[in-house]
C-alpha cells in the first residue's frame, strides 16, 4: 500500500469519512472506499449485533458483503479462528480473518502492517465495542488480539 493511501486511510478512521473530507484538507474523493479491501462477513441469520458491526465498518469506508450461516462453528474452523477466541461473527478482510467486534481502526492498522499475522479477534462480546454499544453508554475494557499463523494470540490493542 502506498504511504499516501495509508495516510488517507488513517485520517478516515481517526475522524470518520465526513469529518476527514471537511477538515480543511482535500477531500478523500470517491476512490477512498475502494482503497480498502472488501469485508466479507459470516453471521448467524438472527444476530442483531453483527449488523451493527457491519454498519460500523461501512461508516469507516469499507464495502461489506454479508452471508448468513446456520453453522458458524464450521465457518470459524475453516477460517482459522483459534479455539476459545470466538465471538458471534467472522469476517475476511484483505486475506485476514477478523473475529468479532474488532474496531475498524484496528483492522486498518493490521492491514497496513500485517507482519505475518493472519488476523484479529475480540473474543466474546465486550460491552461498548463496535456493534455492542449500550444505550446508557456502559462499556467494559477489552483487548483485541492478534492471531498468528500457529494459532497463538497476543495483545494487539486495548480499548
Amino acid at each position: 500500500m502506498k504511504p499516501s493511501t495509508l495516510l488517507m486511510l488513517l485520517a478516515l478512521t481517526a475522524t470518520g469519512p465526513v469529518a476527514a473530507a471537511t477538515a480543511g484538507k482535500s477531500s478523500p474523493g470517491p476512490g477512498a472506499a475502494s482503497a480498502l479491501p472488501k469485508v466479507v462477513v459470516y453471521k448467524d441469520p438472527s444476530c442483531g449485533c453483527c449488523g451493527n458491526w457491519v454498519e460500523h465498518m461501512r461508516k469507516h469506508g469499507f464495502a461489506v458483503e454479508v452471508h448468513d450461516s446456520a453453522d458458524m462453528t464450521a465457518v470459524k474452523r475453516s477460517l482459522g479462528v483459534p479455539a476459545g477466541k470466538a465471538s458471534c461473527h467472522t469476517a475476511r478482510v484483505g486475506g485476514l480473518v477478523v473475529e468479532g467486534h474488532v474496531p475498524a481502526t484496528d483492522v486498518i492498522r493490521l492491514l497496513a502492517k500485517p507482519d505475518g499475522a493472519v488476523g484479529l479477534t475480540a473474543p466474546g462480546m465486550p460491552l461498548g465495542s463496535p456493534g455492542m454499544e449500550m444505550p446508557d453508554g456502559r462499556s467494559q475494557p477489552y483487548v483485541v488480539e492478534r492471531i498468528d499463523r500457529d494459532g497463538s494470540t497476543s495483545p494487539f490493542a486495548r480499548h
Side-chain angles (χ1 to χ4, degrees):
M1 184 176 299
K2 296 188 296 189
S4 60
T5 303
L6 178 58
L7 290 174
M8 177 183 64
L9 294 176
L10 291 173
L12 285 171
T13 58
T15 60
V18 174
T22 60
K25 297 182 180 176
S26 63
S27 169
S34 65
L36 293 169
K38 183 189 330 182
V39 178
V40 179
V41 179
Y42 301 90
K43 68 175 199 62
D44 185 278
S46 63
C47 187
C49 65
C50 300
N52 295 338
W53 184 78
V54 165
E55 289 309 310
H56 165 78
M57 296 302 282
R58 286 179 174 145
K59 286 179 183 172
H60 283 82
F62 285 94
V64 183
E65 177 181 308
V66 179
H67 299 275
D68 288 337
S69 173
D71 189 357
M72 286 303 298
T73 301
V75 170
K76 292 171 189 316
R77 191 177 315 116
S78 72
L79 294 178
V81 175
K85 300 297 181 177
S87 183
C88 55
H89 57 269
T90 306
R92 293 287 294 171
V93 185
L96 301 172
V97 64
V98 177
E99 177 67 14
H101 296 272
V102 175
T105 53
D106 291 349
V107 174
I108 290 172
R109 186 164 63 103
L110 186 64
L111 286 168
K113 191 172 181 184
D115 289 334
V118 297
L120 295 172
T121 181
M125 298 171 68
L127 295 180
S129 61
M132 289 296 297
E133 295 88 351
M134 301 302 294
D136 63 4
R138 281 182 297 142
S139 65
Q140 67 186 94
Y142 67 100
V143 177
V144 171
E145 299 176 27
R146 168 193 161 109
I147 304 169
D148 288 314
R149 286 188 181 121
D150 64 1
S152 65
T153 61
S154 57
F156 182 79
R158 296 182 189 282
H159 299 277

